[in-house]
Amino acid sequence: LVDKILLGRSLLLNCLLAAHLVAVGLRFKLLEKAERVLLDEGRIPVLKPAHELDRNYAVYREKFAGYNDKDRPVLVLGDSHAAQLDWGAMVGEGRVAARGIPGDTSSGLLARLPDYASAKPETVIVWIGANDVMAGIPPQQIAANIGQTILALKAQEIPRVVVLGVMPFARWIEDGELFNAQVSTINAALKSACSAHGATFLDPGEVLRDEQGLLCKTKTSDGIHLNVRGYQAILEMLGI
């Protein structure tokens, strides 16, 4: 009798759980969303790289495809650090084609390099890697992706390729000390890769670090991104 009672309770709980899942699915239209993601958009988790599953990445990439970058002497490729800087206001209108995608990673940037094959700028600035660090991508893989980016750009006969290293993180960022240790490893590898492949390496930490080697609080807006002072320091380092 006890076993039957327990079995009955178990069945009742399972039915209630199933009903709850169905209700949640209907409330948030999960089946419709899954159909759109899997069938219409082809964004199949696990089978595709993370950047291809990011709708934000796809939207920006499609938007950039409609721009004419042929008359811009400087092309900036990167993540939100490149995207948030108002290049027109701080550098001058018409000089820089800023193609930063918030949340982008070194693998995402490498995948979209062919989009800019016809641009033919005088200088390409590569500013990527912070999101990789926060996502737990191994430093060796991050450096390898950026190294392949350098090689691909040099193969396009870009006269000058500049790699901005990964920036330090502020003291109050969770896991900031761990991130900064990885940043040092990545930047050392990038400096070596730039030297080997004829690119210019610039360590943003040289103008952004405080006495403890962390992102200076007077040059950041949130401990990760830069404020106007931080961007001014970067532009002075770039010399543009």
Side-chain angles (χ1 to χ4, degrees):
L1 179 60
V2 173
D3 290 341
K4 289 183 179 180
I5 293 174
L6 292 175
L7 178 59
R9 288 181 176 178
S10 177
L11 290 173
L12 177 60
L13 289 174
N14 286 332
C15 289
L16 290 173
L17 177 60
H20 178 70
L21 292 176
V22 169
V24 170
L26 292 173
R27 170 67 179 80
F28 295 102
K29 299 182 179 180
L30 297 182
L31 289 178
E32 291 89 337
K33 291 179 180 179
E35 180 181 7
R36 184 181 70 244
V37 168
L38 296 176
L39 301 181
D40 297 339
E41 300 180 11
R43 298 188 297 132
I44 305 176
V46 180
L47 299 181
K48 289 193 174 185
H51 61 268
E52 292 191 20
L53 303 176
D54 184 353
R55 184 178 289 106
N56 182 67
Y57 175 90
V59 168
Y60 271 88
R61 189 169 179 180
E62 182 178 3
K63 179 177 72 172
F64 291 158
Y67 293 168
N68 181 8
D69 297 330
K70 291 183 179 180
D71 298 326
R72 306 291 182 95
V74 179
L75 173 64
V76 183
L77 302 175
D79 49 30
S80 57
H81 294 308
Q84 291 185 9
L85 172 54
D86 189 341
W87 297 88
M90 299 188 73
V91 177
E93 295 294 341
R95 291 194 60 207
V96 177
R99 302 297 174 251
I101 297 180
D104 201 6
T105 61
S106 58
S107 61
L109 175 56
L110 184 60
R112 62 185 172 101
L113 278 185
D115 298 354
Y116 312 100
S118 63
K120 304 301 180 184
E122 298 170 9
T123 299
V124 173
I125 298 170
V126 177
W127 197 359
I128 200 77
N131 293 308
D132 298 71
V133 172
M134 291 187 289
I137 306 300
Q140 298 84 352
Q141 185 60 55
I142 301 170
N145 289 342
I146 300 176
Q148 290 182 54
T149 298
I150 297 171
L151 288 175
L153 291 170
K154 298 300 286 187
Q156 294 179 16
E157 299 182 349
I158 303 298
R160 183 169 182 251
V161 176
V162 179
V163 176
L164 273 174
V166 183
M167 298 195 315
F169 293 81
R171 178 184 310 281
W172 60 86
I173 297 299
E174 184 177 0
D175 294 326
E177 292 185 5
L178 173 61
F179 291 162
N180 284 323
Q182 294 175 345
V183 165
S184 297
T185 300
I186 295 165
N187 286 344
L190 292 181
K191 183 177 181 179
S192 178
C194 286
S195 177
H197 302 307
T200 300
F201 175 78
L202 298 176
D203 181 2
E206 292 182 5
V207 296
L208 299 177
R209 279 191 292 261
D210 61 15
E211 297 79 6
Q212 286 74 43
L214 304 170
L215 181 56
C216 182
K217 64 181 181 181
T218 63
K219 295 179 179 178
T220 180
S221 58
D222 58 6
I224 298 174
H225 299 94
L226 299 179
N227 58 21
V228 173
R229 287 195 185 97
Y231 276 128
Q232 287 173 336
I234 290 295
L235 291 177
E236 288 176 9
M237 170 176 270
L238 288 169
I240 60 173

